[in-house]
Amino acid sequence: MLVVRNIGQLVLPRFDAETGRPRVETIDRAAVLIDGGRIAEFGPAESVDVPADADELDAGGGCVTPGLIDCHTHTVFAGTREHEFVRRIEGQSYAEIAEEGGGIRVTVEAVRRASVDELVGLALPRLQRMLGNGVTTVEIKSGYGLTVDDEIKMLRAVARLRSLQPIELIGTCLAAHTVPPEFADRRGAYLDMICDDAFLRRMANERLAEFCDVFCERTAFSVDESRRVLLAARRHGLTPKIHADQITQMGASRLAAEVGAVTADHLETIDADGIAAMRRAGTIAVLLPGCSFFLGVHQAPARAILDAGVPVAVATDYNPGSSMVESLPLVMSIACTQMRMTPNEVMVAVTVNAAAAVHRRETAGAIDADRAADLVILDVPDYARWMYEPGRNCVRTVIKGGRVVHRRQD
Ligand code: NIG
Ligand code: FE
C-alpha cells in the first residue's frame, strides 16, 4: 500500500451531464491511500485510515490532480515542418500551404519512408516528456500513411509504444486525413480503399484503433465523403470523431451530431446551429487552443460552446504542421488567457471530459474509490496557479496505476 500524504489541495473535477456544467470540488489537507494500483480511500488527512506498514509519499503541501488526458494528438510522426512555420510568419495561410502541395503531404512522405521502429524511436521521447507534464493517457491518430500498409504501420507503432512506457495509448484511424497525391484525380478510389471492409475489420479486430476520425475541410474531405467514411467505420465498431469547422464552415459539427460522433474537434468556425446540434446530440467539443496559438489565428468560441451546455474537452493536437505543442499544461494556460475558459472549466476539460472523449469515463480522469490511481503531484498549492504559470513545469511527481512513473529532477 502507498499513502500520498501532506496534500495541500486534492482536486476532484466533475461534469454534470444534465445541466452541462463543469465544476471542481477540492479537499484541503488531504491524503490518498492506494492499494494494488487502485485508490482505496481519499479525503481529509485525518479521515483516511492508513495501515502502519503503508509506504509514504509526501506531496509537500502541493496540489494533487487526476492524471491528465490528452484526447487529440498526432504524436506519431516523422520529420518537421519549420519551413511552413516561417512561410506563415511571412504571410501565407495554413490552407494556402496545403493547396500548394505542402502541409500534411510533407509529413506523409516522411512517415512512408520510416519503419515502425523509427516511428517508435521518434515518438518515445515525446511521450516521456508528455508524462513529465502530468499526462497519463494519450490518444494518437494515424493519418500520415494514407496507404493501407502505412496507416497500419502507424498504429502498430502506437501498439508497440504501449509496452515501452507507462502512458495509456488509444489508437484512432485517420486514413481520411487528406487525399494522397497518387489519388488526386481518383478521390472515389481512395475513399473505396479506406471504407473497405477488410481494412476497417483489421483496424477493429487487431485493436489497432477504437475510433475513426476524418478531416472534414475544403482541402480534405466534404461532408458527404466524411459521412461515408464514418458510417463505414461505425459498422465495424469504430466510434466516429471529426476534425470539424476548423478553417471552413461546412456543417461538419452538424454531421458529428448526425452520425453519433463522440467528439467534434477544433470548431474554430462553428456557428450557432452547430452548437445547438452538438448540445442536442451530447457530442463533446474538443477544443485545441494550442493549434490557433501556433498558427496565429482566431480561437474557437469556447464561451459560446460552454455557455450552451456542450461538454468541452481541451487537448494539444500535437502534430508537426498546425500544433508543434506537446505540453498540455501550456495549452491549459492558453485556454484560460486566449479562450477565457476558467481554470475550473479547463481542469474538467483535461480530465473528466477528456476521458469521455476517448471512452475512458469509467477508468480515467477522476479520483474515485476503486479507480486506477493516476495522479499528478504539483509544486504549487492550487490548480489555478498551475495555469497561471505558463511555460514552467509545475509537475513534481506522476503516479500511473499506483506506481511512481516520473519524478522531476531538482
Ligand atoms: O488537427 N487539421 C488537420 N490535421 C491536423 C494537422 C495536420 C498537419 O498539418 O500535419 C490538425 O490540425
Ligand atoms: Fe488534429
Side-chain angles (χ1 to χ4, degrees):
M1 287 209 194
L2 172 69
V3 63
V4 184
R5 48 173 290 278
N6 195 16
I7 299 172
Q9 179 190 58
L10 185 65
V11 175
L12 310 171
R14 313 256 186 241
F15 183 76
D16 180 341
E18 237 152 74
T19 59
R21 298 284 163 239
R23 108 191 122 78
V24 177
E25 285 170 22
T26 56
I27 303 174
D28 292 345
R29 292 178 293 283
V32 177
L33 182 66
I34 300 168
D35 187 9
R38 308 204 151 260
I39 294 172
E41 264 187 71
F42 66 95
E46 63 283 2
S47 74
V48 176
D49 218 358
V50 182
D53 60 350
D55 293 325
E56 287 199 2
L57 185 60
D58 186 338
C63 172
V64 171
T65 74
L68 305 183
I69 299 166
D70 198 343
C71 67
H72 178 143
T73 87
H74 309 251
T75 304
V76 169
F77 61 84
T80 56
R81 307 214 314 250
E82 57 270 36
H83 53 285
E84 294 178 11
F85 178 72
V86 175
R87 276 162 72 185
R88 277 196 304 277
I89 296 164
E90 290 169 349
Q92 266 197 308
S93 72
Y94 179 80
E96 282 162 0
I97 291 169
E99 273 156 12
E100 287 176 12
I104 294 170
R105 290 176 185 191
V106 174
T107 304
V108 169
E109 278 170 29
V111 166
R112 285 181 178 176
R113 280 196 302 269
S115 64
V116 177
D117 284 347
E118 284 165 339
L119 293 176
V120 167
L122 289 165
L124 191 56
R126 296 174 191 146
L127 288 167
Q128 276 154 349
R129 292 191 297 269
M130 289 160 100
L131 184 72
N133 280 318
V135 175
T136 53
T137 305
V138 172
E139 184 256 19
I140 303 181
K141 301 175 197 294
S142 64
Y144 291 125
L146 310 187
T147 67
V148 167
D149 288 346
D150 289 306
E151 286 294 298
I152 287 174
K153 176 177 77 181
M154 288 190 73
L155 290 164
R156 281 206 204 294
V158 174
R160 194 164 312 161
L161 285 158
R162 287 195 183 104
S163 59
L164 297 176
Q165 53 74 52
I167 297 179
E168 178 180 7
L169 303 179
I170 298 157
T172 294
C173 175
L174 178 57
H177 202 181
T178 193
V179 176
E182 66 276 16
F183 281 92
D185 309 319
R186 302 178 292 138
R187 301 177 64 80
Y190 185 68
L191 285 161
D192 291 344
M193 187 178 94
I194 62 173
C195 295
D196 177 60
D197 281 339
F199 174 61
L200 292 170
R201 208 175 302 123
R202 278 183 80 179
M203 284 285 161
N205 292 354
E206 295 178 28
R207 286 195 53 85
L208 291 169
E210 295 173 46
F211 300 92
C212 178
D213 200 342
V214 297
F215 187 18
C216 186
E217 181 57 57
R218 202 167 43 77
T219 54
F221 297 96
S222 69
V223 168
D224 286 342
E225 290 169 338
S226 301
R227 181 186 292 110
R228 178 177 168 204
V229 173
L230 295 176
L231 292 181
R234 212 174 62 177
R235 283 195 292 278
H236 289 279
L238 299 174
T239 303
K241 283 180 170 280
I242 311 187
H243 279 70
D245 302 345
Q246 183 188 0
I247 304 163
T248 318
Q249 171 48 247
M250 313 199 301
S253 46
R254 289 193 292 280
L255 175 67
E258 176 197 320
V259 299
V262 60
T263 63
D265 306 40
H266 275 286
L267 308 180
E268 286 83 344
T269 64
I270 195 170
D271 58 10
D273 277 358
I275 295 175
M278 287 179 66
R279 169 69 174 140
R280 276 194 302 276
T283 318
I284 299 165
V286 178
L287 304 183
L288 308 166
C291 179
S292 292
F293 165 78
F294 186 80
L295 294 177
V297 299
H298 70 92
Q299 295 283 354
R303 284 266 45 99
I305 297 169
L306 282 157
D307 294 345
V310 173
V312 169
V314 163
T316 60
D317 195 17
Y318 183 27
N319 77 77
S322 66
S323 185
M324 193 67 166
V325 181
E326 65 186 15
S327 166
L328 188 54
L330 172 61
V331 167
M332 290 157 64
S333 273
I334 298 172
C336 293
T337 59
Q338 312 299 297
M339 285 183 156
R340 302 193 47 236
M341 286 180 69
T342 63
N344 64 335
E345 287 167 341
V346 172
M347 204 61 240
V348 172
V350 292
T351 54
V352 185
N353 287 357
V358 287
H359 285 175
R360 294 295 189 278
R361 200 197 296 267
E362 307 304 324
T363 54
I367 296 171
D368 260 329
D370 226 25
R371 198 178 275 258
D374 295 355
L375 303 173
V376 182
I377 303 175
L378 303 174
D379 66 9
V380 288
D382 70 82
Y383 63 92
R385 181 85 77 87
W386 195 5
M387 297 171 223
Y388 161 76
E389 291 198 51
R392 183 178 81 78
N393 190 348
C394 301
V395 174
R396 184 184 284 149
T397 307
V398 181
I399 298 174
K400 175 74 181 171
R403 224 163 41 86
V404 173
V405 289
H406 172 81
R407 262 184 230 272
R408 193 175 66 196
Q409 304 297 323
D410 54 14

